[in-house]
Amino acid sequence: MIFGYILVSMALLIVLWLGTGIRRIGSVSVGAPIRQRDGSALLLIDLQSVFWDRGPYSEAAKNTAAAAIFKDVEAARAQNHPVIAVRQEWSIPSTKAVAKLAMKGQAIEGSEGTEVAEVFASLPDHVIVKRVQDAFETGELDALLERLGVGRLRIVGLDFNYCVQKTALAARNRGYDVTVVKDGTLSAAPTEAAEKRMSAAGVIVS
């Protein structure tokens, strides 16, 4: 009987631990409000081999997104705006477990395919790593944007419903002016709900 209670308790603890990982993956951070900054930057979200080369996106959709991304990078270069690539690496124990169970183990820290996809590898001036969908969660992006004097962000990449949305919302929570370039994103599912949520938060979806 006691052994049974122990097993049930352990199972509940595991479920709660995994639940914490799931909540952490999709949460949106708040952060300190930024001061007035005049600079702009382009964020490339999760344009990694494991997602771009092997993700659930059609070649036609990828070609359209790539064209828009290259156009935005060219515009950023012309205006001396930094281009920042953000790579996903699941490294928190609970989120790594969720990734193994529900995401085919993709983008786990140290796994193959977490590098920026070859087609985009030469584009970024800076590369940072995020641990969850929200690129601001670790504080590294906050620090980089402060150092660069950035107050306006343009965002491209994938997936529109997840990492693009959560990063855009986290940026708005801090006071950034945010534009998501829809043609420069990819999504495996309909985007209406995510677009509505971002627009309600003051994100421009163009």
Side-chain angles (χ1 to χ4, degrees), residues 29-32 34 37 128 134-148 150 170-171 174 176:
S29 62
V30 177
I34 65 170
R37 301 178 192 166
I128 67 169
D134 170 7
F136 286 89
E137 180 261 347
T138 65
E140 185 178 357
L141 182 57
D142 287 293
L144 176 60
L145 295 175
E146 181 178 13
R147 189 166 73 248
L148 296 173
V150 170
R174 289 158 169 77
Y176 288 92

Side-chain angles (χ1 to χ4, degrees), residues 15-16 18 21 27 30 39 62 76 83 108 122 127-128 154 190 198:
V15 169
L16 288 171
L18 290 173
S27 63
V30 177
K62 287 166 61 176
V83 178
I108 290 176
S122 65
V127 179
I128 67 169
R154 286 177 68 84
M198 285 192 282

Side-chain angles (χ1 to χ4, degrees), residues 3-170:
F3 183 68
Y5 284 134
I6 292 173
L7 287 178
V8 170
S9 298
M10 289 178 63
L12 287 173
L13 287 173
I14 291 171
V15 169
L16 288 171
W17 181 68
L18 290 173
T20 299
I22 292 169
R23 287 191 297 275
R24 192 163 187 177
I25 285 171
S27 63
V28 177
S29 62
V30 177
I34 65 170
R35 297 181 180 181
Q36 180 65 36
R37 301 178 192 166
D38 297 327
S40 298
L42 176 64
L43 296 186
L44 314 179
I45 304 294
D46 289 2
L47 294 177
Q48 301 165 240
S49 297
V50 68
F51 300 132
W52 182 265
D53 296 332
R54 304 174 222 163
Y57 312 109
S58 70
E59 286 302 315
K62 287 166 61 176
N63 289 339
T64 297
I69 290 166
F70 290 134
K71 181 179 179 181
D72 253 273
V73 169
E74 184 178 0
R77 292 270 183 268
Q79 299 172 79
N80 292 316
H81 296 166
V83 178
I84 303 167
V86 182
R87 298 191 301 106
Q88 178 66 52
E89 288 189 7
W90 305 111
S91 59
I92 303 166
S94 59
T95 61
K96 286 172 68 175
V98 173
K100 288 178 181 178
L101 291 170
M103 305 175 195
K104 303 178 182 179
Q106 293 181 330
I108 290 176
E109 181 183 34
S111 65
E112 187 256 340
T114 60
E115 73 283 352
V116 176
E118 184 176 358
V119 66
F120 304 115
S122 65
L123 301 182
D125 302 304
H126 308 272
V127 179
I128 67 169
V129 174
K130 64 182 178 65
R131 309 187 301 176
V132 294
Q133 292 173 4
D134 170 7
F136 286 89
E137 180 261 347
T138 65
E140 185 178 357
L141 182 57
D142 287 293
L144 176 60
L145 295 175
E146 181 178 13
R147 189 166 73 248
L148 296 173
V150 170
R152 295 185 297 273
L153 296 172
R154 286 177 68 84
I155 301 178
V156 298
L158 51 99
D159 188 290
F160 184 95
N161 288 323
Y162 300 104
C163 299
V164 169
Q165 178 190 185
K166 300 305 171 56
T167 297
L169 292 173

